[in-house]
Amino acid sequence: MIIDKGLSPDFINDYLKVCGKYITFAKFGWGTSAVQSRELVKEKIENYKKYGIKTYPGGTLFEVCFSKNLFEEYLKECKDLGFECVEISDGSMELKPEDKDYAIKQAKKAGFIVLSEVGKKSIVLDSELEIHERIELVKKDLESGADFVIIEGRESGKSIGLFDEKGNVKKEELEILAENVDMDKIILEAPQKNQQVEFILRFGNDVNLGNISFEEVISLETLRRGLRGDTFGKI
Amino acid sequence: MIIDKGLSPDFINDYLKVCGKYITFAKFGWGTSAVQSRELVKEKIENYKKYGIKTYPGGTLFEVCFSKNLFEEYLKECKDLGFECVEISDGSMELKPEDKDYAIKQAKKAGFIVLSEVGKKSIVLDSELEIHERIELVKKDLESGADFVIIEGRESGKSIGLFDEKGNVKKEELEILAENVDMDKIILEAPQKNQQVEFILRFGNDVNLGNISFEEVISLETLRRGLRGDTFGKI
Amino acid sequence: MIIDKGLSPDFINDYLKVCGKYITFAKFGWGTSAVQSRELVKEKIENYKKYGIKTYPGGTLFEVCFSKNLFEEYLKECKDLGFECVEISDGSMELKPEDKDYAIKQAKKAGFIVLSEVGKKSIVLDSELEIHERIELVKKDLESGADFVIIEGRESGKSIGLFDEKGNVKKEELEILAENVDMDKIILEAPQKNQQVEFILRFGNDVNLGNISFEEVISLETLRRGLRGDTFGKI
């Protein structure tokens, strides 16, 4: 899963010739799709679709709309624009468990692939989330019907989720997570190379990774195949 | 205000479809316009102009030319290339107050929008500039006729101007600045996200920000509108 | 020497209009050429060739192939794809001195420009390489027939080769290197601006630099000409 935070339409066409086949999801990060023209968003979604890449707006946009009682309109607009997925998150707002459950179910009912997210955007609030709580939240979202659950890593990959303030993976927490959930259902946000390397070495080269910068897709693919020094001879 | 440090002409056309409307000024950073062919620079300026974006070469190029007694030729060349603005700075050289005053006035007389800059490129020299001195320099440039005054932040945003060595905003100095100058006339260089967030939360979402990387324009627009976690619910 | 870690073909054409004349070599970093389609790699090589830029796959790809006894096939494939150079390195594997000598000689015999590399990808292993050992390795490679020897700096430029953990240049080691080898035969990997500045100020503005990000080519050219604050008045 890559983040598109404002890529240009012709550039996308050119770019996907190089790495389209390595991408499953393209996220229009947080609220970025709302500040690009509707025509442009539609065109970009079509460009991705030619390569079988499924698109969705960042969870923050869902949160903005849900908090303004515009959830129904939000789903309709996502459909109209051509998005095939939606992300249901509560990174920037309080969302009651029953509301998250409801939102996931409604989005499924409307025909979307649903990616939910677990974690907070705020370093302070996120650090209060103990790993067993995180796991409970993951399980709940899967029970609600989410197709995948994303573990928050933000664009920075520091002091958030499974990462310490330097961006290193908290291995103990990772192991507890791995023991308790089906990793095929998890997308680990891993914007930094060292994080990608650790997850690949731990879970194998088909681990689901997210928040990949568009510039790093080819590089990540070489890591998955042992074609870069960091994973050479280890795959 | 974005920095263009060597963008390609077709890419610019494609890119501005996405975010052209959010950009007021495009700076050809420092001396970069001088190492691209004249035809190319003209073409790029035209591309920006289609979206109403005003362009100018970085202040360093002015300083190189002024220090070689080529100021008149510099203004003529800027005009010939199609630049609508010039930046008058003394970041890398000593410029007597009367020379800066003269340069601003000459540039205005020649029909340019004038952006002056306050601050030094050298960390050591810049750190010697006390905030009240900075404010005096800002006021002087405005009196000379500068349309905007840029507060130096470099491309890095660290250990310079209003930023400490980690890139955090020095809040006390910022407040002193805000109390003493008309912020509508100021462009705050703010290459890092945390800086953009702080300035938006302090001065409102229409604060003038500069040295924005071309890749961050859409992201910055979402910050201005509360569509990213960092400013969600705070705008 | 720039790193291409997955640039798109049309983008390259557009991009080289801006800075093609400042690039001598384009490296398809590590194994990235192996995860792009053959047609695409050929097209990209042709695009570079129009500007006289010589291309080669990263040394890691050589190492992968050599370690699988596919060296002959590797050279043939490089030729078929249109690469004009190859890199012979042992950054991720143990390579006996006689094997490196053999590989360099075979590649020369096959008609390639040969760039060898000295240094290890692993921070731990690289730190065990004392500067005089590095120099001996450089000399051996030149005796074997390498056209240039690259001093490892990786994409990060930290804790590797001539750089400390902050990316600062180890000046003593640099001086020992400079005293003992012909710097015209050396390519210094220097991904960070401060490294580029130091090498330019020490060796002059035509020093051979490598691992330059595609986005920094124009910026580097301004450093070489004293058109950026960092080298203003010092060239």
Side-chain angles (χ1 to χ4, degrees):
Chain A
M1 179 262 279
I2 62 161
I3 310 188
D4 174 333
K5 54 180 192 175
L7 297 179
S8 317
D10 295 347
F11 178 79
I12 291 173
N13 281 333
D14 189 31
Y15 165 72
L16 293 179
K17 288 182 215 158
V18 177
C19 61
K21 64 180 159 181
Y22 302 126
I23 303 169
T24 308
F25 296 110
K27 172 172 68 179
F28 288 51
W30 52 100
T32 54
S33 59
V35 302
Q36 299 172 59
S37 79
R38 295 186 81 244
E39 291 61 42
L40 196 71
V41 172
K42 284 182 180 181
E43 182 184 351
K44 289 172 59 170
I45 290 172
E46 283 306 311
N47 293 354
Y48 283 115
K49 219 173 262 182
K50 279 179 221 147
Y51 286 81
I53 299 166
K54 292 173 192 337
T55 52
Y56 63 100
T60 304
L61 198 59
F62 154 76
E63 296 177 46
V64 168
C65 294
F66 194 91
S67 67
K68 294 186 177 172
N69 285 314
L70 293 167
F71 180 47
E72 218 169 296
E73 292 80 353
Y74 177 69
L75 290 181
K76 187 175 175 318
E77 174 71 356
C78 285
K79 191 68 82 181
D80 288 351
L81 290 170
F83 286 116
E84 297 175 72
C85 325
V86 293
E87 180 180 328
I88 306 296
S89 61
D90 56 353
S92 301
M93 71 183 292
E94 285 292 312
L95 194 61
K96 287 183 221 149
E98 58 268 31
D99 283 345
K100 202 172 185 192
D101 176 67
Y102 168 80
I104 292 171
K105 283 178 173 148
Q106 285 300 105
K108 284 300 298 178
K109 205 187 279 180
F112 290 101
I113 296 171
V114 174
L115 300 99
S116 81
E117 188 176 56
V118 165
K120 292 290 177 187
K121 304 287 180 202
S122 152
I123 291 178
V124 177
L125 293 177
D126 192 77
S127 70
E128 291 169 4
L129 259 183
E130 202 258 331
I131 184 68
H132 291 284
E133 284 176 89
R134 259 180 235 273
I135 289 165
E136 283 318 300
L137 293 169
V138 168
K139 286 182 176 171
K140 255 188 123 321
D141 286 354
L142 289 172
E143 276 162 30
S144 299
D147 296 285
F148 292 94
V149 181
I150 299 162
I151 306 295
E152 175 73 83
R154 298 210 70 181
E155 197 192 354
S156 65
K158 289 183 182 170
S159 300
I160 207 86
L162 300 165
F163 308 124
D164 69 15
E165 69 287 356
K166 289 186 173 167
N168 293 318
V169 178
K170 297 177 179 173
K171 291 191 190 182
E172 264 182 60
E173 302 202 2
L174 181 66
E175 289 310 316
I176 298 172
L177 180 73
E179 275 163 33
N180 286 282
V181 302
D182 175 2
M183 291 302 291
D184 287 351
K185 293 287 187 186
I186 299 291
I187 296 175
L188 296 162
E189 291 191 342
Q192 298 193 13
K193 187 181 72 168
N194 68 303
Q195 299 163 352
Q196 298 161 13
V197 169
E198 283 224 39
F199 291 148
I200 288 168
L201 295 181
R202 172 63 185 81
F203 296 110
N205 54 14
D206 56 351
V207 62
N208 301 324
L209 300 178
N211 277 17
I212 305 303
S213 157
F214 77 93
E215 288 178 300
E216 300 299 329
V217 173
I218 286 293
S219 170
L220 172 55
E221 186 61 22
T222 61
L223 289 174
R224 290 184 187 274
R225 299 203 202 176
L227 294 172
R228 192 169 186 181
D230 311 81
T231 58
F232 180 98
K234 298 177 185 168
I235 299 286
Chain B
M1 178 262 278
I2 63 161
I3 309 188
D4 175 333
K5 54 182 192 174
L7 296 179
S8 316
D10 294 348
F11 178 79
I12 291 172
N13 280 333
D14 190 31
Y15 164 72
L16 293 180
K17 288 182 216 158
V18 178
C19 60
K21 64 181 158 182
Y22 302 126
I23 303 169
T24 308
F25 296 111
K27 172 172 69 178
F28 289 52
W30 51 100
T32 55
S33 59
V35 303
Q36 299 173 59
S37 78
R38 297 186 81 244
E39 289 62 41
L40 196 71
V41 172
K42 283 182 181 181
E43 183 184 350
K44 290 173 58 170
I45 291 172
E46 282 307 311
N47 294 354
Y48 283 115
K49 218 172 264 183
K50 277 179 223 148
Y51 286 81
I53 298 166
K54 293 174 189 340
T55 51
Y56 63 98
T60 304
L61 198 59
F62 154 76
E63 296 177 46
V64 168
C65 294
F66 194 92
S67 67
K68 294 185 176 173
N69 285 314
L70 293 167
F71 180 48
E72 218 170 297
E73 291 81 352
Y74 177 69
L75 289 182
K76 187 176 176 318
E77 174 70 356
C78 285
K79 191 66 82 181
D80 287 351
L81 290 170
F83 286 116
E84 296 175 73
C85 325
V86 292
E87 179 181 328
I88 305 296
S89 60
D90 55 354
S92 300
M93 71 184 290
E94 286 291 314
L95 193 61
K96 287 182 221 150
E98 59 266 33
D99 283 345
K100 204 172 183 193
D101 175 68
Y102 168 79
I104 292 170
K105 283 178 173 150
Q106 285 299 107
K108 283 301 296 178
K109 204 186 281 180
F112 291 100
I113 295 171
V114 174
L115 301 98
S116 81
E117 188 176 56
V118 165
K120 292 290 178 186
K121 302 288 181 203
S122 153
I123 292 179
V124 177
L125 294 178
D126 192 76
S127 69
E128 293 170 3
L129 259 183
E130 203 257 332
I131 185 68
H132 290 285
E133 284 176 88
R134 260 180 234 273
I135 288 166
E136 283 319 300
L137 293 169
V138 168
K139 286 181 175 171
K140 254 189 126 317
D141 287 355
L142 290 173
E143 277 162 30
S144 299
D147 296 284
F148 293 94
V149 182
I150 300 162
I151 306 295
E152 175 73 83
R154 297 211 70 180
E155 197 191 354
S156 64
K158 288 184 182 169
S159 300
I160 208 87
L162 299 166
F163 308 124
D164 69 15
E165 67 286 357
K166 290 185 173 168
N168 293 319
V169 177
K170 298 177 180 172
K171 291 189 190 183
E172 263 183 61
E173 302 202 0
L174 181 66
E175 289 311 317
I176 298 172
L177 180 73
E179 276 162 33
N180 285 281
V181 301
D182 175 1
M183 291 303 291
D184 287 351
K185 293 288 186 184
I186 298 292
I187 297 175
L188 296 163
E189 290 192 344
Q192 298 192 15
K193 188 181 70 167
N194 69 303
Q195 299 163 353
Q196 297 161 14
V197 169
E198 284 224 38
F199 291 148
I200 288 168
L201 294 181
R202 173 62 185 83
F203 296 109
N205 54 13
D206 57 351
V207 61
N208 301 324
L209 300 178
N211 277 15
I212 305 302
S213 156
F214 77 94
E215 288 178 300
E216 300 299 331
V217 172
I218 286 293
S219 170
L220 172 56
E221 186 61 23
T222 61
L223 289 174
R224 290 184 188 274
R225 299 204 201 176
L227 294 172
R228 190 168 188 182
D230 311 82
T231 59
F232 179 98
K234 299 177 184 168
I235 300 287
Chain C
M1 178 262 278
I2 63 161
I3 309 188
D4 174 333
K5 54 181 191 175
L7 297 179
S8 315
D10 294 346
F11 178 79
I12 291 173
N13 281 333
D14 189 31
Y15 166 72
L16 293 179
K17 287 182 217 159
V18 178
C19 60
K21 63 181 162 183
Y22 301 126
I23 304 170
T24 308
F25 297 111
K27 172 172 70 179
F28 288 51
W30 53 100
T32 54
S33 59
V35 304
Q36 299 172 60
S37 79
R38 296 186 81 243
E39 290 61 42
L40 196 71
V41 172
K42 283 181 181 180
E43 183 184 351
K44 289 172 58 169
I45 291 173
E46 282 308 310
N47 294 355
Y48 283 115
K49 219 173 263 183
K50 279 178 222 148
Y51 286 80
I53 298 166
K54 294 174 190 338
T55 52
Y56 63 98
T60 304
L61 198 59
F62 154 76
E63 296 177 47
V64 168
C65 294
F66 195 91
S67 66
K68 294 185 175 173
N69 284 315
L70 292 168
F71 180 47
E72 218 169 298
E73 291 81 353
Y74 177 69
L75 289 182
K76 187 175 175 319
E77 175 70 356
C78 286
K79 190 67 80 181
D80 287 352
L81 290 169
F83 286 117
E84 297 176 72
C85 325
V86 292
E87 179 180 329
I88 306 296
S89 61
D90 56 353
S92 300
M93 70 183 292
E94 285 291 312
L95 193 62
K96 286 183 223 151
E98 57 267 31
D99 283 346
K100 203 172 184 193
D101 176 67
Y102 167 80
I104 292 171
K105 283 178 173 149
Q106 286 300 105
K108 283 301 296 179
K109 206 188 277 180
F112 290 100
I113 296 170
V114 175
L115 300 99
S116 81
E117 188 176 55
V118 166
K120 293 290 178 187
K121 302 288 181 202
S122 152
I123 291 178
V124 177
L125 293 177
D126 192 77
S127 70
E128 292 169 3
L129 258 183
E130 202 258 331
I131 185 68
H132 291 284
E133 284 176 87
R134 259 181 234 273
I135 290 166
E136 283 319 299
L137 293 169
V138 169
K139 286 182 176 172
K140 254 188 124 315
D141 287 355
L142 289 172
E143 277 163 30
S144 298
D147 296 285
F148 292 94
V149 182
I150 299 162
I151 306 295
E152 175 73 84
R154 297 210 71 181
E155 198 192 353
S156 63
K158 288 185 183 169
S159 300
I160 208 86
L162 300 166
F163 308 124
D164 69 16
E165 68 285 358
K166 289 186 174 166
N168 293 318
V169 178
K170 297 177 179 171
K171 291 191 190 183
E172 263 183 59
E173 302 202 1
L174 181 66
E175 289 310 317
I176 299 173
L177 180 73
E179 276 163 32
N180 285 282
V181 302
D182 175 2
M183 291 301 292
D184 287 350
K185 293 288 186 184
I186 299 292
I187 297 175
L188 296 162
E189 290 190 344
Q192 298 192 14
K193 187 181 73 168
N194 69 303
Q195 299 164 353
Q196 297 162 13
V197 169
E198 283 224 37
F199 291 148
I200 288 169
L201 294 181
R202 172 63 184 81
F203 297 110
N205 55 14
D206 56 351
V207 62
N208 301 322
L209 299 179
N211 278 15
I212 305 303
S213 156
F214 77 94
E215 288 178 300
E216 300 298 330
V217 172
I218 286 293
S219 170
L220 172 55
E221 186 61 24
T222 61
L223 289 174
R224 290 184 187 275
R225 300 203 201 175
L227 294 172
R228 191 168 186 181
D230 311 81
T231 58
F232 180 98
K234 299 177 184 169
I235 300 286

PDB file of all heavy atoms in Angstrom, chain B residues 85-106:
ATOM      1  N   CYS B  85       9.280  38.581 -10.286  1.00  0.00           N
ATOM      2  CA  CYS B  85       9.734  39.053  -8.979  1.00  0.00           C
ATOM      3  C   CYS B  85      11.247  38.905  -8.894  1.00  0.00           C
ATOM      4  O   CYS B  85      11.853  38.164  -9.677  1.00  0.00           O
ATOM      5  CB  CYS B  85       9.144  38.212  -7.833  1.00  0.00           C
ATOM      6  SG  CYS B  85       7.474  37.604  -8.077  1.00  0.00           S
ATOM      7  N   VAL B  86      11.838  39.615  -7.950  1.00  0.00           N
ATOM      8  CA  VAL B  86      13.219  39.322  -7.567  1.00  0.00           C
ATOM      9  C   VAL B  86      13.302  39.290  -6.046  1.00  0.00           C
ATOM     10  O   VAL B  86      12.480  39.889  -5.354  1.00  0.00           O
ATOM     11  CB  VAL B  86      14.251  40.345  -8.117  1.00  0.00           C
ATOM     12  CG1 VAL B  86      14.368  40.260  -9.638  1.00  0.00           C
ATOM     13  CG2 VAL B  86      13.916  41.745  -7.666  1.00  0.00           C
ATOM     14  N   GLU B  87      14.310  38.543  -5.578  1.00  0.00           N
ATOM     15  CA  GLU B  87      14.558  38.496  -4.143  1.00  0.00           C
ATOM     16  C   GLU B  87      15.848  39.249  -3.854  1.00  0.00           C
ATOM     17  O   GLU B  87      16.869  39.026  -4.499  1.00  0.00           O
ATOM     18  CB  GLU B  87      14.685  37.032  -3.677  1.00  0.00           C
ATOM     19  CG  GLU B  87      14.961  36.933  -2.188  1.00  0.00           C
ATOM     20  CD  GLU B  87      15.117  35.502  -1.686  1.00  0.00           C
ATOM     21  OE1 GLU B  87      14.464  34.589  -2.235  1.00  0.00           O
ATOM     22  OE2 GLU B  87      15.910  35.303  -0.737  1.00  0.00           O
ATOM     23  N   ILE B  88      15.776  40.142  -2.885  1.00  0.00           N
ATOM     24  CA  ILE B  88      16.951  40.909  -2.471  1.00  0.00           C
ATOM     25  C   ILE B  88      17.343  40.431  -1.077  1.00  0.00           C
ATOM     26  O   ILE B  88      16.583  40.617  -0.120  1.00  0.00           O
ATOM     27  CB  ILE B  88      16.643  42.427  -2.440  1.00  0.00           C
ATOM     28  CG1 ILE B  88      16.088  42.911  -3.792  1.00  0.00           C
ATOM     29  CG2 ILE B  88      17.889  43.214  -2.034  1.00  0.00           C
ATOM     30  CD1 ILE B  88      17.021  42.814  -4.961  1.00  0.00           C
ATOM     31  N   SER B  89      18.491  39.805  -0.991  1.00  0.00           N
ATOM     32  CA  SER B  89      18.896  39.199   0.277  1.00  0.00           C
ATOM     33  C   SER B  89      20.364  39.473   0.534  1.00  0.00           C
ATOM     34  O   SER B  89      21.095  39.944  -0.347  1.00  0.00           O
ATOM     35  CB  SER B  89      18.664  37.689   0.203  1.00  0.00           C
ATOM     36  OG  SER B  89      19.432  37.132  -0.847  1.00  0.00           O
ATOM     37  N   ASP B  90      20.796  39.169   1.751  1.00  0.00           N
ATOM     38  CA  ASP B  90      22.228  39.237   2.054  1.00  0.00           C
ATOM     39  C   ASP B  90      22.609  38.045   2.928  1.00  0.00           C
ATOM     40  O   ASP B  90      23.350  38.176   3.889  1.00  0.00           O
ATOM     41  CB  ASP B  90      22.604  40.587   2.698  1.00  0.00           C
ATOM     42  CG  ASP B  90      21.778  40.888   3.944  1.00  0.00           C
ATOM     43  OD1 ASP B  90      20.830  40.118   4.256  1.00  0.00           O
ATOM     44  OD2 ASP B  90      22.078  41.876   4.625  1.00  0.00           O
ATOM     45  N   GLY B  91      22.108  36.907   2.552  1.00  0.00           N
ATOM     46  CA  GLY B  91      22.327  35.685   3.341  1.00  0.00           C
ATOM     47  C   GLY B  91      23.747  35.176   3.283  1.00  0.00           C
ATOM     48  O   GLY B  91      24.231  34.557   4.231  1.00  0.00           O
ATOM     49  N   SER B  92      24.430  35.416   2.170  1.00  0.00           N
ATOM     50  CA  SER B  92      25.783  34.873   2.002  1.00  0.00           C
ATOM     51  C   SER B  92      26.847  35.947   1.897  1.00  0.00           C
ATOM     52  O   SER B  92      28.025  35.640   1.753  1.00  0.00           O
ATOM     53  CB  SER B  92      25.838  34.009   0.733  1.00  0.00           C
ATOM     54  OG  SER B  92      24.923  32.944   0.812  1.00  0.00           O
ATOM     55  N   MET B  93      26.442  37.198   1.946  1.00  0.00           N
ATOM     56  CA  MET B  93      27.429  38.277   1.814  1.00  0.00           C
ATOM     57  C   MET B  93      27.053  39.421   2.744  1.00  0.00           C
ATOM     58  O   MET B  93      25.928  39.511   3.221  1.00  0.00           O
ATOM     59  CB  MET B  93      27.437  38.801   0.376  1.00  0.00           C
ATOM     60  CG  MET B  93      26.190  39.600   0.031  1.00  0.00           C
ATOM     61  SD  MET B  93      26.095  40.137  -1.695  1.00  0.00           S
ATOM     62  CE  MET B  93      27.385  41.363  -1.743  1.00  0.00           C
ATOM     63  N   GLU B  94      28.030  40.275   2.988  1.00  0.00           N
ATOM     64  CA  GLU B  94      27.737  41.531   3.673  1.00  0.00           C
ATOM     65  C   GLU B  94      27.152  42.501   2.662  1.00  0.00           C
ATOM     66  O   GLU B  94      27.727  42.691   1.582  1.00  0.00           O
ATOM     67  CB  GLU B  94      29.039  42.138   4.222  1.00  0.00           C
ATOM     68  CG  GLU B  94      29.589  41.445   5.433  1.00  0.00           C
ATOM     69  CD  GLU B  94      28.703  41.675   6.646  1.00  0.00           C
ATOM     70  OE1 GLU B  94      28.293  42.829   6.892  1.00  0.00           O
ATOM     71  OE2 GLU B  94      28.395  40.683   7.332  1.00  0.00           O
ATOM     72  N   LEU B  95      26.042  43.091   3.008  1.00  0.00           N
ATOM     73  CA  LEU B  95      25.450  44.098   2.124  1.00  0.00           C
ATOM     74  C   LEU B  95      25.162  45.312   3.003  1.00  0.00           C
ATOM     75  O   LEU B  95      24.436  45.193   3.996  1.00  0.00           O
ATOM     76  CB  LEU B  95      24.148  43.533   1.528  1.00  0.00           C
ATOM     77  CG  LEU B  95      23.502  44.254   0.350  1.00  0.00           C
ATOM     78  CD1 LEU B  95      24.403  44.298  -0.861  1.00  0.00           C
ATOM     79  CD2 LEU B  95      22.189  43.548  -0.022  1.00  0.00           C
ATOM     80  N   LYS B  96      25.741  46.430   2.679  1.00  0.00           N
ATOM     81  CA  LYS B  96      25.496  47.631   3.490  1.00  0.00           C
ATOM     82  C   LYS B  96      24.022  47.994   3.451  1.00  0.00           C
ATOM     83  O   LYS B  96      23.369  47.817   2.407  1.00  0.00           O
ATOM     84  CB  LYS B  96      26.302  48.812   2.940  1.00  0.00           C
ATOM     85  CG  LYS B  96      27.790  48.721   3.218  1.00  0.00           C
ATOM     86  CD  LYS B  96      28.491  49.978   2.657  1.00  0.00           C
ATOM     87  CE  LYS B  96      29.801  49.604   1.999  1.00  0.00           C
ATOM     88  NZ  LYS B  96      30.195  50.483   0.896  1.00  0.00           N
ATOM     89  N   PRO B  97      23.478  48.517   4.553  1.00  0.00           N
ATOM     90  CA  PRO B  97      22.060  48.892   4.586  1.00  0.00           C
ATOM     91  C   PRO B  97      21.682  49.766   3.401  1.00  0.00           C
ATOM     92  O   PRO B  97      20.628  49.581   2.791  1.00  0.00           O
ATOM     93  CB  PRO B  97      21.927  49.659   5.907  1.00  0.00           C
ATOM     94  CG  PRO B  97      23.001  49.110   6.772  1.00  0.00           C
ATOM     95  CD  PRO B  97      24.143  48.761   5.859  1.00  0.00           C
ATOM     96  N   GLU B  98      22.541  50.698   3.046  1.00  0.00           N
ATOM     97  CA  GLU B  98      22.195  51.592   1.936  1.00  0.00           C
ATOM     98  C   GLU B  98      22.195  50.850   0.605  1.00  0.00           C
ATOM     99  O   GLU B  98      21.456  51.211  -0.314  1.00  0.00           O
ATOM    100  CB  GLU B  98      23.128  52.817   1.886  1.00  0.00           C
ATOM    101  CG  GLU B  98      24.601  52.509   1.733  1.00  0.00           C
ATOM    102  CD  GLU B  98      25.337  52.434   3.072  1.00  0.00           C
ATOM    103  OE1 GLU B  98      24.713  52.008   4.083  1.00  0.00           O
ATOM    104  OE2 GLU B  98      26.533  52.775   3.114  1.00  0.00           O
ATOM    105  N   ASP B  99      22.996  49.785   0.508  1.00  0.00           N
ATOM    106  CA  ASP B  99      22.986  48.997  -0.727  1.00  0.00           C
ATOM    107  C   ASP B  99      21.704  48.158  -0.831  1.00  0.00           C
ATOM    108  O   ASP B  99      21.146  48.001  -1.914  1.00  0.00           O
ATOM    109  CB  ASP B  99      24.209  48.070  -0.791  1.00  0.00           C
ATOM    110  CG  ASP B  99      25.475  48.829  -1.165  1.00  0.00           C
ATOM    111  OD1 ASP B  99      25.358  49.976  -1.653  1.00  0.00           O
ATOM    112  OD2 ASP B  99      26.580  48.287  -0.952  1.00  0.00           O
ATOM    113  N   LYS B 100      21.259  47.615   0.307  1.00  0.00           N
ATOM    114  CA  LYS B 100      20.028  46.823   0.261  1.00  0.00           C
ATOM    115  C   LYS B 100      18.857  47.747  -0.096  1.00  0.00           C
ATOM    116  O   LYS B 100      18.016  47.415  -0.929  1.00  0.00           O
ATOM    117  CB  LYS B 100      19.779  46.120   1.604  1.00  0.00           C
ATOM    118  CG  LYS B 100      18.906  44.881   1.454  1.00  0.00           C
ATOM    119  CD  LYS B 100      18.805  44.056   2.745  1.00  0.00           C
ATOM    120  CE  LYS B 100      17.993  42.787   2.525  1.00  0.00           C
ATOM    121  NZ  LYS B 100      17.597  42.121   3.774  1.00  0.00           N
ATOM    122  N   ASP B 101      18.850  48.915   0.540  1.00  0.00           N
ATOM    123  CA  ASP B 101      17.814  49.904   0.246  1.00  0.00           C
ATOM    124  C   ASP B 101      17.826  50.256  -1.244  1.00  0.00           C
ATOM    125  O   ASP B 101      16.790  50.256  -1.912  1.00  0.00           O
ATOM    126  CB  ASP B 101      18.085  51.155   1.095  1.00  0.00           C
ATOM    127  CG  ASP B 101      17.133  52.297   0.780  1.00  0.00           C
ATOM    128  OD1 ASP B 101      15.926  52.155   1.090  1.00  0.00           O
ATOM    129  OD2 ASP B 101      17.574  53.305   0.214  1.00  0.00           O
ATOM    130  N   TYR B 102      19.010  50.494  -1.761  1.00  0.00           N
ATOM    131  CA  TYR B 102      19.167  50.845  -3.173  1.00  0.00           C
ATOM    132  C   TYR B 102      18.672  49.707  -4.075  1.00  0.00           C
ATOM    133  O   TYR B 102      17.920  49.940  -5.036  1.00  0.00           O
ATOM    134  CB  TYR B 102      20.645  51.136  -3.459  1.00  0.00           C
ATOM    135  CG  TYR B 102      20.988  51.233  -4.923  1.00  0.00           C
ATOM    136  CD1 TYR B 102      20.721  52.384  -5.665  1.00  0.00           C
ATOM    137  CD2 TYR B 102      21.586  50.145  -5.583  1.00  0.00           C
ATOM    138  CE1 TYR B 102      21.037  52.458  -7.017  1.00  0.00           C
ATOM    139  CE2 TYR B 102      21.907  50.212  -6.930  1.00  0.00           C
ATOM    140  CZ  TYR B 102      21.628  51.370  -7.642  1.00  0.00           C
ATOM    141  OH  TYR B 102      21.930  51.426  -8.974  1.00  0.00           O
ATOM    142  N   ALA B 103      19.057  48.499  -3.740  1.00  0.00           N
ATOM    143  CA  ALA B 103      18.698  47.352  -4.581  1.00  0.00           C
ATOM    144  C   ALA B 103      17.184  47.153  -4.615  1.00  0.00           C
ATOM    145  O   ALA B 103      16.595  46.909  -5.673  1.00  0.00           O
ATOM    146  CB  ALA B 103      19.393  46.081  -4.067  1.00  0.00           C
ATOM    147  N   ILE B 104      16.567  47.258  -3.443  1.00  0.00           N
ATOM    148  CA  ILE B 104      15.104  47.109  -3.392  1.00  0.00           C
ATOM    149  C   ILE B 104      14.437  48.187  -4.249  1.00  0.00           C
ATOM    150  O   ILE B 104      13.542  47.896  -5.056  1.00  0.00           O
ATOM    151  CB  ILE B 104      14.600  47.173  -1.924  1.00  0.00           C
ATOM    152  CG1 ILE B 104      15.072  45.927  -1.141  1.00  0.00           C
ATOM    153  CG2 ILE B 104      13.082  47.295  -1.874  1.00  0.00           C
ATOM    154  CD1 ILE B 104      14.834  46.000   0.364  1.00  0.00           C
ATOM    155  N   LYS B 105      14.915  49.413  -4.080  1.00  0.00           N
ATOM    156  CA  LYS B 105      14.290  50.514  -4.828  1.00  0.00           C
ATOM    157  C   LYS B 105      14.486  50.367  -6.334  1.00  0.00           C
ATOM    158  O   LYS B 105      13.574  50.635  -7.115  1.00  0.00           O
ATOM    159  CB  LYS B 105      14.849  51.856  -4.333  1.00  0.00           C
ATOM    160  CG  LYS B 105      14.222  52.241  -2.991  1.00  0.00           C
ATOM    161  CD  LYS B 105      14.771  53.536  -2.427  1.00  0.00           C
ATOM    162  CE  LYS B 105      13.961  53.925  -1.190  1.00  0.00           C
ATOM    163  NZ  LYS B 105      14.748  54.677  -0.203  1.00  0.00           N
ATOM    164  N   GLN B 106      15.685  49.967  -6.736  1.00  0.00           N
ATOM    165  CA  GLN B 106      15.943  49.792  -8.162  1.00  0.00           C
ATOM    166  C   GLN B 106      15.058  48.683  -8.744  1.00  0.00           C
ATOM    167  O   GLN B 106      14.565  48.792  -9.860  1.00  0.00           O
ATOM    168  CB  GLN B 106      17.420  49.421  -8.400  1.00  0.00           C
ATOM    169  CG  GLN B 106      18.372  50.580  -8.239  1.00  0.00           C
ATOM    170  CD  GLN B 106      18.075  51.713  -9.226  1.00  0.00           C
ATOM    171  OE1 GLN B 106      17.548  52.764  -8.821  1.00  0.00           O
ATOM    172  NE2 GLN B 106      18.375  51.499 -10.496  1.00  0.00           N
TER     173      GLN B 106
END
